[in-house]
Amino acid sequence: MNGDTAFHRPIHTLLNHRLTQTEITNRVNHVGDLKKKNKKVSSNGGMFRDAMFMQWTTEDVLGVVKYHPVPCVFAASLLFFMGVEYTLYMIPPSSPPFDLGFVATVSLHRFLASTPALNSLLAGLNTVFVLMQTAYILWTWLVEGRPRATIAALYMFTFRGILGYSTQLPLPQGFLGSGVDFPVGNVSFFLFYSGHVAASIIASLDMKRMQRWKLARAFDTLNILQVVRLLSTRGHYTIDLAVGVGAGMLFDSLASNYEESKKIVYGVSSPNAAATTTTTANGDFLISSKQ
């Protein structure tokens, strides 16, 4: 019987048919020919034949712009900043860093430099705000039994220490220090990134999870004022403050992942101990174990 005929038989007849050696050889050769043919087609651009973008229509492209404007703006900004990056003049080593936040707060910097008493007053108020952040974060754990914000703060300050020591930036020119600024006493500090801003973000995110909207808005407002003050006194570069916002969000998310992982681990009994995980209404956990 011809091998090609056997190859194209319906599957239900092939199941009951014992192939001859000739038929097996013809099948192997046929598969080899198909592979060579597919390889040739791919080399001619056929590899994109089933690609998603080959199925796009004009309506699909316009729909992206209509229904997803934010990614489109980001795509345009990518092209814009590529042009900026590849054409700007680099700052020479002998010049101070360029900081747009410093440019925007020149008048405030001059005003605070001419009024040391006001500068110290604002520094003291900022220190009070830092203590408020610390008190709230510890309260959520020690009193309310919700450790997420505390874990996030521990993550954040640990990585801040690693990064701050790894790249020690020069103190900005025109820095306006104060003995009552946190850390109190004009001691040294890491510039990158801002722990003031990151801790405030962590506290604010927890407040919003607990629907403490007024308190969260108050913290966000104070955080903005804190950013303006730190730029005006040259206490941080703009990048320190911007990364501080991102760090607060990132480590809050990582703390949530940590909680979830511990719910799984401690929720499983072992031969030596029975562990019980109690989930609160707010998704946080309390773990107790007994021998």
Side-chain angles (χ1 to χ4, degrees):
M1 182 178 291
N2 184 274
D4 290 337
T5 303
F7 184 85
H8 294 290
R9 283 180 178 175
I11 188 64
H12 67 275
T13 62
L14 289 175
L15 292 175
N16 299 319
H17 175 72
R18 186 184 297 274
L19 296 176
T20 65
Q21 186 61 40
T22 302
E23 291 172 338
I24 293 174
T25 302
N26 289 337
R27 283 188 156 208
V28 171
N29 292 336
H30 184 76
V31 171
D33 292 339
L34 286 176
K35 288 182 177 180
K36 292 179 181 179
K37 182 178 179 181
N38 289 337
K39 185 176 181 180
K40 183 177 180 181
V41 171
S42 297
S43 64
N44 293 328
M47 62 183 298
F48 298 112
R49 181 176 47 193
D50 297 326
M52 185 184 69
F53 73 87
M54 295 294 290
Q55 305 171 24
W56 288 357
T57 64
T58 303
E59 183 178 358
D60 293 330
V61 175
L62 295 177
V64 171
V65 178
K66 180 178 180 180
Y67 297 107
H68 304 282
V70 174
C72 292
V73 170
F74 286 157
S77 68
L78 168 65
L79 299 176
F80 172 76
F81 284 111
M82 284 177 64
V84 172
E85 180 180 4
Y86 300 149
T87 56
L88 60 76
Y89 292 101
M90 301 291 288
I91 302 297
S94 58
S95 300
F98 171 79
D99 192 291
L100 192 60
F102 291 177
V103 174
T105 56
V106 167
S107 58
L108 287 174
H109 176 262
R110 291 173 180 169
F111 179 68
L112 291 177
S114 63
T115 53
L118 179 59
N119 180 49
S120 293
L121 175 62
L122 295 178
L125 293 175
N126 205 155
T127 297
V128 172
F129 180 48
V130 172
L131 294 177
M132 290 168 57
Q133 302 168 20
T134 306
Y136 179 84
I137 290 172
L138 291 176
W139 177 278
T140 61
W141 172 40
L142 298 176
V143 179
E144 298 180 356
R146 299 182 301 103
R148 176 170 171 176
T150 304
I151 295 171
L154 293 175
Y155 276 178
M156 182 271 291
F157 281 111
T158 298
F159 281 91
R160 178 178 179 269
I162 294 172
L163 295 176
Y165 186 81
S166 299
T167 302
Q168 300 179 37
L169 300 172
L171 194 65
Q173 292 185 359
F175 170 65
L176 302 176
S178 173
V180 295
D181 201 356
F182 187 89
V184 177
N186 281 324
V187 299
S188 59
F189 59 94
F190 292 133
L191 283 167
F192 187 85
Y193 43 84
S194 173
H196 289 62
V197 172
S200 181
I201 292 294
I202 290 171
S204 175
L205 289 173
D206 185 88
M207 294 168 185
K208 291 167 184 173
R209 276 193 301 273
M210 299 301 296
Q211 299 184 4
R212 296 166 176 166
W213 303 114
K214 291 183 179 179
L215 194 57
R217 284 193 291 269
F219 261 58
D220 288 340
T221 301
L222 291 174
N223 200 12
I224 293 172
L225 295 175
Q226 174 179 245
V227 166
V228 174
R229 176 192 163 265
L230 289 171
L231 288 174
S232 301
T233 60
R234 307 302 186 248
H236 273 292
Y237 294 104
T238 302
I239 193 172
D240 305 332
L241 305 172
V243 173
V245 174
M249 295 178 179
L250 170 63
F251 291 116
D252 179 76
S253 177
L254 291 179
S256 175
N257 294 341
Y258 177 83
E259 280 190 339
E260 292 298 326
S261 69
K262 291 306 175 182
K263 285 180 184 178
I264 296 173
V265 172
Y266 288 104
V268 178
S269 299
S270 66
N272 300 323
T276 303
T277 301
T278 302
T279 305
T280 68
N282 300 305
D284 296 298
F285 66 93
L286 302 172
I287 298 172
S288 62
S289 62
K290 57 183 179 180
Q291 298 295 330

